[in-house]
Coordinates of all heavy atoms in Angstrom, one line a residue:
M221 N 77.9 106.4 123.8 CA 78.9 105.9 124.7 C 79.5 107.1 125.5 O 79.8 108.1 125.0 CB 80.0 105.3 123.9 CG 81.1 104.6 124.7 SD 82.3 103.7 123.7 CE 83.4 105.0 123.3
T222 N 79.5 106.9 126.8 CA 80.1 107.9 127.7 C 81.6 107.5 128.0 O 81.8 106.4 128.5 CB 79.3 108.0 129.0 OG1 78.0 108.3 128.7 CG2 79.9 109.0 129.9
R223 N 82.4 108.4 127.7 CA 83.8 108.2 128.0 C 84.1 108.7 129.4 O 83.8 109.8 129.7 CB 84.7 108.9 126.9 CG 84.5 108.3 125.5 CD 85.3 109.1 124.5 NE 86.7 108.9 124.7 CZ 87.4 107.9 124.3 NH1 86.8 107.0 123.5 NH2 88.7 107.8 124.5
T224 N 84.7 107.8 130.2 CA 84.9 108.2 131.6 C 86.2 108.7 131.9 O 86.5 109.3 132.9 CB 84.6 106.9 132.5 OG1 85.5 105.9 132.0 CG2 83.2 106.5 132.3
H225 N 87.2 108.5 130.9 CA 88.5 109.0 131.2 C 89.0 109.7 129.9 O 88.9 109.1 128.8 CB 89.4 107.8 131.6 CG 90.7 108.2 132.1 ND1 91.7 108.7 131.3 CD2 91.2 108.2 133.4 CE1 92.8 109.0 132.1 NE2 92.5 108.8 133.4
P226 N 89.6 110.9 130.1 CA 90.0 111.6 128.9 C 91.2 111.0 128.2 O 91.4 111.3 127.0 CB 90.3 113.0 129.4 CG 90.6 112.8 130.8 CD 89.8 111.6 131.3
D227 N 91.9 110.1 128.9 CA 93.1 109.6 128.3 C 93.0 108.2 127.8 O 94.0 107.4 127.7 CB 94.3 109.7 129.2 CG 94.9 111.1 129.2 OD1 94.5 111.9 128.3 OD2 95.7 111.4 130.1
E228 N 91.8 107.7 127.6 CA 91.6 106.4 127.0 C 92.1 106.5 125.5 O 91.9 107.5 124.9 CB 90.1 106.0 127.0 CG 89.6 105.7 128.4 CD 88.2 105.3 128.4 OE1 87.6 105.0 127.3 OE2 87.6 105.4 129.4
P229 N 92.6 105.4 125.0 CA 93.0 105.4 123.6 C 91.8 105.8 122.7 O 90.7 105.4 122.9 CB 93.5 104.0 123.3 CG 93.9 103.5 124.7 CD 92.9 104.2 125.6
V230 N 92.1 106.5 121.6 CA 91.1 106.8 120.6 C 91.3 106.0 119.3 O 90.4 105.9 118.5 CB 91.0 108.3 120.3 CG1 90.6 109.1 121.5 CG2 92.4 108.8 119.7
F231 N 92.4 105.3 119.2 CA 92.7 104.4 118.1 C 93.0 103.0 118.6 O 93.6 102.8 119.6 CB 93.8 104.9 117.2 CG 93.6 106.3 116.7 CD1 94.4 107.3 117.0 CD2 92.5 106.6 115.9 CE1 94.2 108.6 116.6 CE2 92.2 107.9 115.5 CZ 93.1 108.9 115.8
E232 N 92.6 102.0 117.7 CA 93.1 100.6 118.0 C 93.5 100.0 116.7 O 93.0 100.4 115.6 CB 91.9 99.8 118.7 CG 90.8 99.6 117.7 CD 89.7 98.7 118.4 OE1 89.9 98.3 119.5 OE2 88.8 98.2 117.6
T233 N 94.3 99.0 116.8 CA 94.7 98.3 115.5 C 93.5 97.5 115.1 O 92.7 97.1 115.9 CB 95.9 97.4 115.8 OG1 95.7 96.5 116.9 CG2 97.2 98.2 116.1
H234 N 93.5 97.3 113.8 CA 92.3 96.7 113.2 C 92.7 95.8 112.0 O 93.8 96.1 111.4 CB 91.4 97.8 112.7 CG 90.0 97.3 112.2 ND1 89.1 96.8 113.0 CD2 89.5 97.3 110.9 CE1 88.0 96.5 112.2 NE2 88.3 96.8 111.0
G235 N 91.9 94.8 111.7 CA 92.2 93.9 110.6 C 93.0 92.7 111.0 O 93.6 92.7 112.1
P236 N 93.1 91.7 110.1 CA 93.7 90.4 110.5 C 95.2 90.5 110.8 O 95.7 89.8 111.6 CB 93.5 89.6 109.2 CG 93.1 90.5 108.1 CD 92.5 91.7 108.8
D237 N 95.8 91.5 110.2 CA 97.3 91.6 110.5 C 97.6 92.8 111.4 O 98.7 93.1 111.7 CB 98.1 91.8 109.1 CG 97.5 92.9 108.3 OD1 96.6 93.6 108.8 OD2 98.0 93.1 107.2
G238 N 96.5 93.5 111.9 CA 96.7 94.6 112.8 C 97.4 95.8 112.2 O 98.0 96.6 112.8
A239 N 97.4 95.8 110.8 CA 98.1 96.9 110.1 C 97.2 98.1 109.9 O 97.7 99.1 109.5 CB 98.6 96.4 108.8
S240 N 96.0 98.0 110.2 CA 95.1 99.1 110.1 C 94.8 99.8 111.4 O 95.0 99.2 112.5 CB 93.8 98.7 109.5 OG 93.9 98.1 108.2
L241 N 94.5 101.1 111.4 CA 94.1 101.8 112.6 C 92.6 102.1 112.5 O 92.2 102.6 111.5 CB 94.9 103.0 112.8 CG 96.2 102.9 113.5 CD1 96.9 104.3 113.6 CD2 96.1 102.3 114.9
R242 N 91.9 101.9 113.5 CA 90.5 102.2 113.6 C 90.2 103.3 114.6 O 90.7 103.1 115.8 CB 89.6 101.0 113.9 CG 88.1 101.2 113.8 CD 87.4 99.9 113.8 NE 87.2 99.4 115.1 CZ 86.2 99.5 115.9 NH1 85.2 100.2 115.5 NH2 86.1 99.0 117.1
C243 N 89.5 104.3 114.3 CA 89.1 105.3 115.3 C 88.0 104.8 116.1 O 86.9 104.4 115.6 CB 88.7 106.6 114.5 SG 88.1 107.9 115.6
L244 N 88.2 104.8 117.4 CA 87.2 104.3 118.4 C 86.1 105.3 118.6 O 85.0 105.0 119.2 CB 87.8 103.9 119.7 CG 88.8 102.8 119.7 CD1 89.5 102.7 121.0 CD2 88.1 101.5 119.3
I245 N 86.3 106.6 118.1 CA 85.3 107.6 118.4 C 84.2 107.6 117.3 O 83.1 107.6 117.5 CB 86.0 109.0 118.4 CG1 87.1 109.0 119.4 CG2 85.0 110.1 118.7 CD1 86.7 108.6 120.8
C246 N 84.7 107.6 116.0 CA 83.7 107.7 114.9 C 83.7 106.4 114.1 O 82.8 106.2 113.2 CB 84.0 108.9 114.0 SG 85.5 108.7 113.0
G247 N 84.6 105.5 114.3 CA 84.6 104.2 113.6 C 85.3 104.2 112.3 O 85.3 103.1 111.6
A248 N 85.9 105.3 111.9 CA 86.6 105.3 110.6 C 87.8 104.4 110.6 O 88.5 104.3 111.7 CB 87.1 106.7 110.3
V249 N 88.1 103.7 109.5 CA 89.3 102.8 109.4 C 90.2 103.4 108.4 O 89.9 103.8 107.3 CB 88.8 101.4 109.0 CG1 90.1 100.5 108.8 CG2 87.9 100.8 110.0
N250 N 91.5 103.4 108.8 CA 92.5 104.0 108.0 C 92.3 105.4 107.5 O 92.5 105.7 106.3 CB 92.8 103.0 106.8 CG 93.7 101.9 107.2 OD1 94.3 101.9 108.3 ND2 93.9 100.9 106.3
E251 N 91.7 106.2 108.3 CA 91.6 107.6 108.0 C 92.4 108.4 109.0 O 92.0 109.5 109.4 CB 90.1 108.0 108.0 CG 89.3 107.3 106.9 CD 87.9 107.9 106.7 OE1 87.8 109.2 106.6 OE2 87.0 107.2 106.6
V252 N 93.4 107.8 109.5 CA 94.3 108.4 110.5 C 95.6 108.9 109.8 O 96.2 108.2 109.1 CB 94.6 107.4 111.6 CG1 95.5 108.0 112.6 CG2 93.4 106.8 112.2
T253 N 95.8 110.2 110.1 CA 97.1 110.8 109.6 C 98.1 110.9 110.7 O 97.7 111.4 111.8 CB 96.8 112.2 109.0 OG1 95.9 112.1 107.9 CG2 98.1 112.8 108.5
T254 N 99.2 110.3 110.5 CA 100.2 110.3 111.6 C 101.3 111.3 111.1 O 101.7 111.3 110.0 CB 100.9 109.0 111.8 OG1 101.4 108.4 110.6 CG2 99.8 108.0 112.4
T255 N 101.8 112.1 112.0 CA 102.9 113.0 111.8 C 103.9 112.9 112.9 O 103.6 112.5 114.0 CB 102.4 114.5 111.8 OG1 101.7 114.8 113.0 CG2 101.4 114.7 110.6
E256 N 105.2 113.2 112.5 CA 106.3 113.2 113.5 C 107.1 114.4 113.2 O 107.6 114.6 112.1 CB 107.0 111.9 113.3 CG 108.1 111.7 114.4 CD 108.7 110.3 114.4 OE1 108.0 109.3 114.0 OE2 109.9 110.1 114.8
L257 N 107.4 115.1 114.2 CA 108.1 116.4 114.1 C 109.2 116.4 115.2 O 108.9 115.9 116.3 CB 107.2 117.6 114.2 CG 106.2 117.8 113.1 CD1 105.2 118.9 113.5 CD2 106.9 118.1 111.8
P258 N 110.3 117.1 115.0 CA 111.2 117.3 116.1 C 110.5 118.1 117.2 O 109.8 119.1 116.9 CB 112.3 118.1 115.4 CG 112.3 117.8 114.0 CD 110.8 117.5 113.7
S259 N 110.7 117.7 118.4 CA 110.0 118.3 119.5 C 110.5 119.7 119.8 O 111.7 120.0 119.7 CB 110.1 117.4 120.7 OG 109.4 118.1 121.8
M260 N 109.6 120.5 120.2 CA 110.0 121.9 120.7 C 110.7 121.7 122.0 O 111.3 122.7 122.5 CB 108.7 122.8 120.9 CG 108.1 123.2 119.6 SD 106.9 124.5 119.8 CE 105.6 123.7 120.7
A261 N 110.7 120.6 122.7 CA 111.5 120.4 123.9 C 113.0 120.4 123.6 O 113.8 120.6 124.5 CB 111.1 119.0 124.5
G262 N 113.4 120.3 122.3 CA 114.8 120.3 122.0 C 115.4 119.0 121.8 O 116.6 118.8 121.5
Y263 N 114.7 117.9 122.2 CA 115.2 116.6 122.0 C 114.0 115.7 121.7 O 112.8 116.0 122.0 CB 115.9 116.1 123.2 CG 115.0 116.1 124.5 CD1 114.3 114.9 124.8 CD2 114.9 117.2 125.2 CE1 113.5 114.9 126.0 CE2 114.1 117.2 126.4 CZ 113.4 116.1 126.7 OH 112.6 116.0 127.8
G264 N 114.2 114.6 121.0 CA 113.2 113.6 120.7 C 112.2 114.2 119.7 O 112.4 115.2 119.1
N265 N 111.1 113.5 119.5 CA 110.1 113.9 118.5 C 108.7 113.9 119.2 O 108.4 113.2 120.1 CB 110.1 112.8 117.4 CG 111.3 112.9 116.5 OD1 111.8 113.9 116.3 ND2 111.8 111.7 116.1
D266 N 108.0 114.8 118.6 CA 106.5 114.8 118.9 C 105.8 114.0 117.8 O 106.1 114.2 116.6 CB 105.9 116.3 118.8 CG 106.5 117.1 120.0 OD1 107.0 116.6 120.9 OD2 106.3 118.4 119.8
T267 N 105.0 113.1 118.2 CA 104.3 112.3 117.2 C 102.8 112.6 117.4 O 102.3 112.8 118.6 CB 104.5 110.8 117.3 OG1 104.1 110.3 118.6 CG2 106.0 110.6 117.1
A268 N 102.0 112.6 116.4 CA 100.6 112.8 116.4 C 99.9 111.9 115.5 O 100.4 111.7 114.3 CB 100.2 114.2 116.1
A269 N 98.8 111.3 115.9 CA 97.9 110.5 115.0 C 96.5 111.2 115.1 O 96.0 111.3 116.2 CB 97.9 109.1 115.4
R270 N 96.0 111.6 114.0 CA 94.8 112.4 114.0 C 93.8 111.8 113.0 O 94.2 111.5 111.9 CB 95.0 113.8 113.7 CG 93.7 114.7 113.7 CD 94.1 116.2 113.4 NE 95.0 116.7 114.4 CZ 94.6 117.2 115.6 NH1 93.3 117.2 115.9 NH2 95.4 117.7 116.5
C271 N 92.6 111.6 113.5 CA 91.5 111.1 112.6 C 91.1 112.1 111.6 O 90.7 113.2 112.1 CB 90.4 110.6 113.4 SG 89.0 109.9 112.4
D272 N 91.1 111.8 110.3 CA 90.7 112.8 109.3 C 89.2 113.1 109.4 O 88.7 114.0 108.8 CB 91.1 112.3 107.9 CG 92.6 112.3 107.7 OD1 93.3 113.1 108.4 OD2 93.1 111.5 106.9
R273 N 88.5 112.1 109.9 CA 87.0 112.2 109.9 C 86.5 113.0 111.1 O 85.7 113.9 110.9 CB 86.4 110.8 109.9 CG 84.9 110.8 109.6 CD 84.5 109.3 109.6 NE 83.1 109.2 109.3 CZ 82.4 108.1 109.6 NH1 83.0 107.0 110.2 NH2 81.1 108.0 109.3
C274 N 86.9 112.7 112.3 CA 86.3 113.4 113.4 C 87.3 114.3 114.2 O 86.9 115.1 115.0 CB 85.7 112.4 114.4 SG 86.9 111.4 115.3
G275 N 88.6 114.2 113.9 CA 89.5 115.0 114.5 C 90.1 114.6 115.8 O 90.9 115.3 116.5
S276 N 89.7 113.4 116.3 CA 90.3 112.8 117.5 C 91.8 112.6 117.3 O 92.2 112.3 116.2 CB 89.6 111.5 117.8 OG 88.3 111.7 118.1
A277 N 92.6 112.7 118.3 CA 94.0 112.6 118.1 C 94.7 111.9 119.3 O 94.2 112.0 120.5 CB 94.6 114.0 117.9
E278 N 95.7 111.2 119.0 CA 96.7 110.8 120.1 C 98.0 111.4 119.8 O 98.5 111.4 118.6 CB 96.8 109.3 120.0 CG 95.6 108.5 120.5 CD 95.8 107.0 120.5 OE1 97.0 106.6 120.2 OE2 94.9 106.3 120.8
T279 N 98.6 112.0 120.8 CA 99.9 112.6 120.6 C 100.9 112.1 121.7 O 100.5 111.7 122.8 CB 99.8 114.1 120.8 OG1 99.2 114.5 122.0 CG2 98.9 114.7 119.7
T280 N 102.1 112.1 121.3 CA 103.2 111.9 122.3 C 104.3 112.9 122.2 O 104.5 113.4 121.1 CB 103.9 110.5 122.1 OG1 104.5 110.4 120.9 CG2 102.8 109.4 122.2
D281 N 104.9 113.3 123.3 CA 106.0 114.2 123.2 C 106.9 113.8 124.4 O 106.6 113.1 125.3 CB 105.6 115.7 123.2 CG 105.0 116.1 124.6 OD1 105.7 116.1 125.6 OD2 103.8 116.4 124.6
P282 N 108.2 114.3 124.3 CA 109.2 113.8 125.2 C 108.9 114.3 126.7 O 109.4 113.7 127.6 CB 110.5 114.5 124.7 CG 110.3 114.7 123.3 CD 108.8 115.1 123.2
I283 N 108.2 115.4 126.8 CA 108.0 115.9 128.2 C 106.7 115.3 128.8 O 106.8 114.8 129.9 CB 107.8 117.5 128.1 CG1 109.1 118.1 127.6 CG2 107.5 118.0 129.5 CD1 109.0 119.6 127.3
F284 N 105.6 115.3 128.1 CA 104.3 115.0 128.7 C 103.9 113.5 128.4 O 103.0 113.0 129.0 CB 103.2 115.9 128.3 CG 103.5 117.3 128.7 CD1 103.8 118.3 127.8 CD2 103.4 117.7 130.1 CE1 104.1 119.6 128.2 CE2 103.6 119.0 130.5 CZ 104.0 119.9 129.5
G285 N 104.6 112.9 127.4 CA 104.3 111.5 127.1 C 103.0 111.4 126.3 O 102.7 112.4 125.5
W286 N 102.3 110.3 126.5 CA 101.2 110.0 125.6 C 100.0 110.8 126.1 O 99.7 110.9 127.3 CB 101.0 108.5 125.7 CG 99.8 108.1 124.8 CD1 99.9 107.7 123.5 CD2 98.5 108.0 125.2 NE1 98.7 107.3 123.1 CE2 97.8 107.5 124.1 CE3 97.8 108.2 126.4 CZ2 96.4 107.3 124.1 CZ3 96.4 108.0 126.4 CH2 95.7 107.5 125.2
H287 N 99.2 111.3 125.1 CA 98.0 112.0 125.5 C 96.9 111.8 124.4 O 97.3 111.8 123.2 CB 98.2 113.5 125.7 CG 97.0 114.2 126.2 ND1 96.6 114.1 127.5 CD2 96.2 115.1 125.6 CE1 95.5 114.8 127.6 NE2 95.3 115.5 126.5
A288 N 95.7 111.6 124.8 CA 94.6 111.4 123.8 C 93.7 112.6 123.9 O 93.4 113.1 124.9 CB 93.8 110.1 124.1
T289 N 93.2 113.0 122.7 CA 92.3 114.1 122.6 C 91.1 113.6 121.8 O 91.0 113.8 120.6 CB 92.9 115.3 122.0 OG1 94.1 115.6 122.6 CG2 92.0 116.5 122.0
P290 N 90.1 113.0 122.4 CA 88.9 112.5 121.7 C 88.1 113.7 121.2 O 87.9 114.7 122.0 CB 88.2 111.6 122.6 CG 88.6 112.1 124.0 CD 90.0 112.6 123.8
A291 N 87.6 113.7 120.0 CA 86.7 114.7 119.5 C 85.3 114.4 119.9 O 85.0 113.3 120.4 CB 86.8 114.8 118.0
T292 N 84.4 115.4 119.8 CA 83.0 115.2 120.0 C 82.4 114.7 118.8 O 82.6 115.3 117.7 CB 82.3 116.6 120.4 OG1 82.9 117.0 121.6 CG2 80.8 116.4 120.6
W293 N 81.8 113.5 118.8 CA 81.3 112.8 117.6 C 80.0 112.1 118.0 O 80.0 111.4 119.0 CB 82.3 111.9 117.0 CG 81.9 111.3 115.7 CD1 81.2 110.2 115.5 CD2 82.1 111.9 114.4 NE1 81.0 110.0 114.2 CE2 81.5 111.1 113.5 CE3 82.7 113.1 114.0 CZ2 81.5 111.3 112.1 CZ3 82.7 113.4 112.7 CH2 82.1 112.5 111.7
P294 N 78.9 112.2 117.2 CA 78.9 113.1 116.0 C 79.0 114.6 116.4 O 78.6 114.9 117.6 CB 77.5 112.8 115.4 CG 77.0 111.6 116.1 CD 77.7 111.5 117.4
R295 N 79.3 115.4 115.5 CA 79.5 116.8 115.8 C 78.1 117.4 116.2 O 77.1 117.0 115.5 CB 80.0 117.6 114.7 CG 81.5 117.2 114.3 CD 82.0 118.1 113.3 NE 83.3 117.7 112.8 CZ 83.6 116.9 111.8 NH1 82.6 116.5 111.1 NH2 84.8 116.6 111.5
P296 N 78.0 118.2 117.2 CA 76.7 118.8 117.6 C 76.1 119.6 116.5 O 76.8 120.3 115.8 CB 77.1 119.7 118.8 CG 78.4 119.2 119.3 CD 79.1 118.6 118.1
G297 N 74.8 119.3 116.2 CA 74.1 120.1 115.2 C 74.4 119.6 113.8 O 74.0 120.3 112.8
E298 N 75.1 118.5 113.7 CA 75.5 118.0 112.3 C 74.9 116.7 112.1 O 75.1 115.8 112.9 CB 77.0 118.0 112.1 CG 77.4 117.6 110.8 CD 78.9 117.7 110.6 OE1 79.4 118.8 110.7 OE2 79.6 116.7 110.4
Q299 N 74.1 116.5 111.1 CA 73.5 115.2 110.8 C 74.6 114.2 110.3 O 75.5 114.6 109.6 CB 72.5 115.3 109.7 CG 71.2 116.1 110.2 CD 70.5 115.3 111.3 OE1 70.3 114.1 111.2 NE2 70.1 116.1 112.3
H300 N 74.5 113.0 110.8 CA 75.5 112.0 110.4 C 75.1 111.5 109.0 O 74.0 111.1 108.7 CB 75.4 110.8 111.4 CG 76.4 109.7 111.0 ND1 77.8 109.9 111.2 CD2 76.3 108.5 110.5 CE1 78.4 108.8 110.8 NE2 77.5 107.9 110.4
Q301 N 76.1 111.6 108.1 CA 75.9 111.2 106.7 C 76.4 109.8 106.5 O 77.5 109.5 106.9 CB 76.6 112.1 105.8 CG 76.2 113.6 105.8 CD 74.8 113.8 105.4 OE1 74.3 113.1 104.5 NE2 74.1 114.7 106.0
P302 N 75.5 108.9 106.0 CA 75.9 107.5 105.8 C 77.0 107.4 104.7 O 77.1 108.3 103.9 CB 74.7 106.8 105.3 CG 73.8 107.9 104.8 CD 74.1 109.1 105.5
Ligands
ZN155 ZN1 87.4 109.4 114.1

């Protein structure tokens, strides 16, 4: 899959109740770690959701807003393990 825009979402809700998060890059479900920290901007919070499997992330902060950082997957030179 060729991603045409760097800021496309990398996670989507998944499951009948939408309570799960699925990584659109590597397909992992519920392997997303979310963190929330007081922002270095001095107000508000920085939030981050990062896939434990491939490292793709979505982040938000009070200054720049939402941003996605898709990882390269599968990793170059690494065999995909089932
Ligand atoms: Zn992933």
Side-chain angles (χ1 to χ4, degrees):
M221 184 174 85
T222 301
R223 297 175 66 85
T224 56
H225 193 285
D227 280 349
E228 290 179 17
V230 295
F231 302 120
E232 67 175 8
T233 55
H234 185 70
D237 55 2
S240 300
L241 272 181
R242 185 168 78 97
C243 177
L244 296 172
I245 307 302
C246 71
V249 175
N250 276 352
E251 295 192 47
V252 179
T253 300
T254 57
T255 56
E256 186 169 334
L257 294 169
S259 177
M260 288 192 296
Y263 59 93
N265 290 323
D266 293 346
T267 62
R270 181 176 298 275
C271 177
D272 292 334
R273 191 176 180 201
C274 71
S276 298
E278 289 182 5
T279 57
T280 61
D281 67 66
I283 297 175
F284 298 108
W286 183 90
H287 186 71
T289 307
T292 300
W293 188 266
R295 294 188 185 93
E298 182 174 298
Q299 290 297 316
H300 183 72
Q301 299 295 327

